[in-house]
C-alpha cells in the first residue's frame, strides 16, 4: 500500500474512461475497455454494442448508437430534433458548456425522441444521451419527453424510454425541477389512455430523472451494473457517516430491492423488447 | 434571547438605544420626546432601507432562521379541528411529514406538510424535515383520501430535501417522489402549496405539484442547495452566495420565471418577527386561492394542472 492511497480512495464502482484515456489510442482503429483494459478493433467493439467480451462491462452508448442497435433500418422518424434551450437563467459558463457538448455529440440537447419499429413492431422511443451534459434534465429534455409521451398517447403507440441522467440540470435552476412535474404528468396522461411504458435504465440514472418519469413505467428493465438511484453515493456517505456496500444502487441492487423488474444484458435487450411489444399487441388480445 | 442576523444588527442596536433613552427619560423624569422621536424616525428609515434591500444571502438566512415559524405553527393558527393522521400503511410513520384533516374556513380540508424541529431534539425526531419514502407515501395516501371525500389539499413546503440515506434508497426514494407527482397530476380536488421556508429540490416538489404554488417573500425554492451547486460548479462550497444568485431561488425570481403564482409578503425582518401578522398574510393568499379553485369543476382540474406545468420551460425550435 503506497502512501498516496491513504489520501486517495480507490473507486469501488465502474468508471467511464476519461478523455485523456481515450486519446491514448488512435481514433477509429481500436477501442480499449475502460474497465479491464482489453483492446478491441473498432468493428468488433461496435458489433458487441460496446459490451466488453472480456469483462462484460456495458459501456455507454450515444443516443443514435442505441437507436441504430434497436430500431429497424430506415424506420426511425425523429421528433423535435432542433429544439434548444435559451439559457433562461443566463447561468455562468452554461452557453460554453452547451456549445462544447453540441459539437461533441451533434445533438442540440441530451435526448433523442421519435418513433420507429423494432422487428416490425411500432413503438415510440426516447433515448437519453449521457455524453451530453450527463443527460441532465433541463427544459429541452423535459419538453421533448413530455411531447413524445403525448405523441405516443395520441398515436396509440407503446413507449420505450432509455433513461440515463445525472439528474436535474442545475444551470436551468427551478425550470429543470419543474420538468419532473411536467414529465410525470405526461406519463400519467399516457398511462390513463392505456399506453404501455417500458423504461430501460442505463448507466447512470439518478436524481430528478429517477424521481420522475423513470420510476413510474409499467415495466422497468435495467442494464447490468447500471447505477440507479436518487441521491448521490458521496452525499449519502457524508450524511450517514458510513461506507456503502460496493453494489449499492446498482441495477442488481435495485432488482433485489424491488425497483427493477429484470436486469437484461444489452445483447438480449432487442429480443426482450420485441417480446414485450408483441405481448401488448391489440391484435393478440382480440384473438383471445 | 432572539438570534440576530448580521444584517439586522444596526436595527437591533438602534432599537436598544431608543429603549435605553426611554428608560433614562422615565427614571430621571426628563423630557426627551424630541430626541426619541428623531431616533424612531431614523429607525423607520433604517428598517425600510435594510429590509427593502436584503441580499439573496440575507434572505436565505431568514428562510433558515431557527425561530422561523414551522408548518405546525401555521396549521395551529389557520385551521380548526386538526387531526393528525399517521403512517403510510406500508412501513412506518415518517415524522418529517405531517398529514391530517382539519377545517379551513369551516370547510373540511386535507393538510400535508414538511415539519422542521425547533430544537436539536425535535430536529432529530423530525430528521430536519427531510422525508423518507414512507413520508411521501403517507402524503399521497392522505391526498387520495382527500380526493375520495372531496376535500381540497393544502400543503406546506419546508425541507432541505428528501433524505439522502441508505434505507431511503433501498425503499425507493425516487419512486416515492415520482409516484406522488404522477398521482397528484390527476387528483380531482384543488391543491394549494405554500413554500414557507426552504424548498429543497425534488424533496419539496414531492408534495408540491399544485394548482397554485405560493411562496413567502423570504423563502427559497431551489433545484439544488446553493452550497451543493457551488461545490459542484467551482469545487468550493464557500461560493454558495454566488451560486444562490445564479440559481434564481428567491420568490421574486421564481415569480418572474412563472414557477410560482404569488409572493406572500413577510412582516419586516422575517416571518418570525410577528407571527400573528404573518399568519394573516398567509391566510389571505390561501383563502384567495381556495375560493377561486373550489369554484372550478372538479373533473377539469387535472387538465388545468397539465396546462400549467406544460408551459414551464423556455425553449426555441
Amino acid at each position: 500500500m503506497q502512501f498516496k492511497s491513504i489520501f486517495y480512495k480507490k473507486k469501488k464502482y465502474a468508471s467511464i474512461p476519461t478523455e485523456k484515456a481515450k486519446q491514448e489510442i488512435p481514433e477509429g482503429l481500436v477501442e480499449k475497455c475502460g474497465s479491464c483494459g482489453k483492446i478491441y478493433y473498432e468493428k468488433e467493439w461496435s458489433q458487441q454494442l460496446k459490451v466488453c467480451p472480456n469483462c462484460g462491462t456495458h459501456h455507454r452508448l450515444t443516443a443514435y448508437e442505441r437507436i441504430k442497435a434497436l430500431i429497424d433500418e430506415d424506420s426511425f422518424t425523429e421528433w423535435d430534433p432542433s429544439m434548444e434551450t435559451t439559457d433562461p437563467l443566463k447561468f455562468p459558463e452554461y452557453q460554453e458548456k452547451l456549445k462544447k457538448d453540441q459539437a461533441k455529440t451533434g445533438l442540440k440537447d441530451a435526448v433523442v425522441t421519435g418513433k420507429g419499429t423494432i422487428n416490425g413492431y411500432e413503438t415510440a422511443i426516447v433515448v437519453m444521451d449521457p455524453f451530453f451534459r450527463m443527460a441532465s434534465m433541463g427544459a429541452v429534455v423535459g419538453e421533448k419527453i413530455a411531447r413524445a409521451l403525448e405523441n405516443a398517447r395520441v398515436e396509440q403507440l407503446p413507449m420505450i424510454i432509455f433513461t440515463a441522467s445525472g439528474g436535474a440540470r442545475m444551470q436551468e435552476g427551478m425550470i429543470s425541477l419543474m420538468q419532473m412535474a411536467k414529465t410525470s404528468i405526461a406519463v400519467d396522461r399516457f398511462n390513463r389512455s392505456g399506453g404501455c411504458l417500458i423504461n430501460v435504465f442505463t448507466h447512470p440514472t439518478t436524481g430528478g430523472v429517477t424521481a420522475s418519469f423513470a420510476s413510474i413505467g409499467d415495466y422497468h428493465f435495467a442494464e447490468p451494473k447500471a447505477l440507479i438511484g436518487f441521491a448521490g453515493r458521496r452525499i449519502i456517505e457524508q450524511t450517514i457517516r458510513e461506507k456503502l456496500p460496493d453494489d449499492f444502487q446498482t441495477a442488481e441492487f435495485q432488482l433485489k430491492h424491488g425497483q427493477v423488474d429484470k436486469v437484461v444484458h444489452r445483447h438480449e435487450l432487442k429480443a426482450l423488447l420485441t417480446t414485450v411489444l408483441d405481448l401488448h399487441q391489440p391484435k393478440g388480445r382480440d384473438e383471445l | 434571547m432572539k438570534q440576530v442576523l448580521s444584517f439586522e444588527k444596526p436595527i437591533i442596536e438602534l432599537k436598544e438605544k431608543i429603549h435605553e433613552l426611554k428608560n433614562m427619560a422615565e427614571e430621571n423624569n426628563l423630557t426627551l420626546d424630541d430626541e426619541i422621536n428623531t431616533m424612531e424616525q431614523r429607525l423607520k428609515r433604517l428598517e425600510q432601507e435594510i429590509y427593502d434591500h436584503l441580499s439573496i444571502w440575507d434572505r436565505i438566512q431568514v428562510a433558515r432562521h431557527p425561530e422561523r415559524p414551522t408548518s405546525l405553527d401555521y396549521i395551529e393558527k389557520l385551521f380548526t379541528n386538526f387531526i393528525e393522521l399517521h403512517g403510510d400503511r406500508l412501513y412506518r410513520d415518517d415524522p418529517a411529514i405531517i398529514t391530517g384533516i382539519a377545517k379551513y374556513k369551516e370547510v373540511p380540508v386535507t393538510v400535508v406538510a414538511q415539519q422542521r424541529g425547533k430544537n436539536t431534539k425535535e430536529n432529530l425526531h423530525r430528521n430536519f424535515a427531510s422525508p423518507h419514502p414512507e413520508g411521501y407515501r403517507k402524503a399521497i395516501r392522505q391526498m387520495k383520501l382527500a380526493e375520495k371525500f372531496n376535500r381540497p389539499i393544502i400543503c406546506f413546503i419546508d425541507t432541505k430535501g428528501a433524505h439522502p440515506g441508505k434505507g431511503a434508497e433501498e425503499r425507493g426514494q425516487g419512486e416515492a417522489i415520482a409516484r406522488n407527482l404522477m398521482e397528484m397530476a390527476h387528483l380531482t380536488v384543488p391543491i394549494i402549496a405554500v413554500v414557507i421556508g426552504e424548498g429543497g429540490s425534488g424533496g419539496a416538489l414531492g408534495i408540491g405539484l399544485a394548482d397554485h404554488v405560493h411562496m413567502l417573500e423570504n423563502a427559497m425554492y431551489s433545484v439544488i442547495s446553493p452550497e451543493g451547486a457551488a461545490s459542484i460548479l467551482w469545487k468550493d462550497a464557500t461560493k454558495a452566495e454566488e451560486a444562490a444568485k445564479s440559481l434564481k431561488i428567491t420568490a421574486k425570481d421564481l415569480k418572474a420565471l412563472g414557477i410560482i403564482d404569488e409572493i406572500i409578503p413577510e412582516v419586516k425582518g422575517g416571518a418570525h418577527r410577528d407571527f400573528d401578522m404573518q399568519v394573516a398574510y398567509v391566510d389571505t393568499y390561501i383563502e384567495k386561492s381556495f375560493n377561486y379553485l373550489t369554484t372550478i369543476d372538479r373533473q377539469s382540474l387535472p387538465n388545468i394542472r397539465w396546462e400549467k406545468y406544460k408551459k414551464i420551460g423556455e425553449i426555441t425550435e
Side-chain angles (χ1 to χ4, degrees), chain A residues 167-232:
Chain A
R169 190 170 297 170
M170 190 166 48
Q171 291 88 347
E172 293 182 34
M174 282 295 288
I175 290 171
S176 299
L177 194 77
M178 292 301 133
Q179 304 311 309
M180 291 169 63
K182 186 194 278 182
T183 53
S184 298
I185 306 175
V187 168
D188 183 54
R189 290 164 61 84
F190 179 71
N191 269 341
R192 290 160 85 75
S193 72
C196 167
L197 177 58
I198 304 164
N199 287 344
V200 185
F201 291 89
T202 71
H203 181 75
T205 301
T206 62
V209 165
T210 300
S212 59
F213 61 90
S215 291
I216 43 178
D218 297 314
Y219 305 100
H220 289 177
F221 301 130
E223 288 197 333
K225 302 271 166 62
L227 174 77
I228 306 161
F230 176 67

Side-chain angles (χ1 to χ4, degrees), chain B residues 1-296:
Chain B
M1 176 71 195
K2 293 237 176 216
Q3 188 178 324
V4 178
L5 299 174
S6 62
F7 68 86
E8 313 180 290
K9 269 189 191 141
I11 296 170
I12 307 282
E13 279 167 15
L14 191 57
K15 273 187 181 166
E16 275 168 5
K17 268 185 204 158
I18 295 171
H19 189 67
E20 274 172 32
L21 207 59
K22 277 183 180 168
N23 277 350
M24 203 167 82
E26 209 169 295
E27 280 169 20
N28 302 318
N29 269 331
L30 295 171
T31 318
L32 296 171
D33 289 358
D34 281 355
E35 286 82 352
I36 291 169
N37 263 339
T38 320
M39 282 177 93
E40 277 178 341
Q41 291 291 331
R42 229 174 84 202
L43 176 68
K44 235 180 172 174
R45 281 199 305 272
L46 189 68
E47 278 187 328
Q48 194 76 27
E49 197 177 307
I50 289 177
Y51 292 134
D52 284 356
H53 297 93
L54 285 188
S55 72
I56 292 178
W57 200 245
D58 293 336
R59 287 188 196 280
I60 291 173
Q61 301 318 307
V62 175
R64 290 173 174 173
H65 200 288
E67 287 151 25
R68 192 169 176 81
T70 67
S71 296
L72 271 177
D73 297 323
Y74 287 102
I75 291 169
E76 194 188 316
K77 297 268 183 185
L78 289 168
F79 306 102
T80 54
N81 303 88
F82 176 68
I83 305 169
E84 189 180 349
L85 302 164
H86 293 273
D88 65 347
R89 300 293 187 271
L90 296 162
Y91 183 70
R92 65 153 199 161
D93 182 49
D94 184 352
I97 289 189
I98 282 176
T99 63
I101 48 177
K103 275 188 177 173
Y104 179 69
K105 316 274 175 206
E106 299 304 312
V107 183
V109 294
T110 285
V111 183
V112 174
Q114 285 145 345
Q115 180 62 35
R116 268 185 306 116
K118 292 205 161 178
N119 51 47
T120 310
K121 197 181 158 206
E122 272 181 37
N123 261 323
L124 287 174
H125 173 60
R126 301 279 181 199
N127 195 34
F128 298 84
S130 285
H132 281 73
E134 43 274 20
Y136 295 104
R137 288 173 184 142
K138 168 167 77 171
I140 203 64
R141 185 174 76 82
Q142 287 303 329
M143 291 196 233
K144 284 179 166 180
L145 271 187
E147 183 182 46
K148 179 179 176 188
F149 297 113
N150 193 13
R151 288 192 292 260
I153 300 164
I154 300 171
C155 302
F156 295 94
I157 293 172
D158 191 13
T159 181
K160 286 184 193 300
H163 180 69
K166 200 173 160 192
E169 292 292 319
E170 286 170 344
R171 298 193 292 278
Q173 187 73 287
E175 192 272 349
I177 293 171
R179 189 154 304 275
N180 278 23
L181 299 178
M182 186 171 75
E183 297 284 355
M184 289 176 90
H186 62 249
L187 292 178
T188 54
V189 285
I191 309 170
I192 301 165
V194 183
V195 185
I196 59 167
E198 275 189 88
S201 198
L205 184 64
I207 61 163
L209 197 158
D211 298 301
H212 281 180
V213 181
H214 304 322
M215 221 172 134
L216 263 63
E217 191 183 339
N218 294 318
M220 57 187 270
Y221 198 176
S222 181
V223 69
I224 183 167
S225 73
E227 291 83 359
S231 65
I232 292 174
L233 284 171
W234 302 298
K235 314 264 176 267
D236 184 357
T238 60
K239 288 191 177 166
E241 191 168 352
E242 206 177 322
K245 276 182 206 155
S246 303
L247 284 166
K248 306 269 186 277
I249 61 178
T250 64
K252 201 175 152 200
D253 282 332
L254 294 173
K255 168 104 168 127
L257 284 168
I259 308 277
I260 62 158
D261 294 275
E262 297 288 352
I263 302 169
I264 304 178
E266 280 193 35
V267 292
K268 290 247 180 288
H272 60 291
R273 294 275 169 214
D274 185 348
F275 183 54
D276 286 335
M277 183 71 99
Q278 191 58 54
V279 169
Y281 289 163
V282 172
D283 193 20
T284 310
Y285 283 82
I286 293 180
E287 189 178 16
K288 205 173 141 201
S289 288
F290 192 86
N291 289 343
Y292 170 71
L293 292 168
T294 46
T295 60
I296 296 173

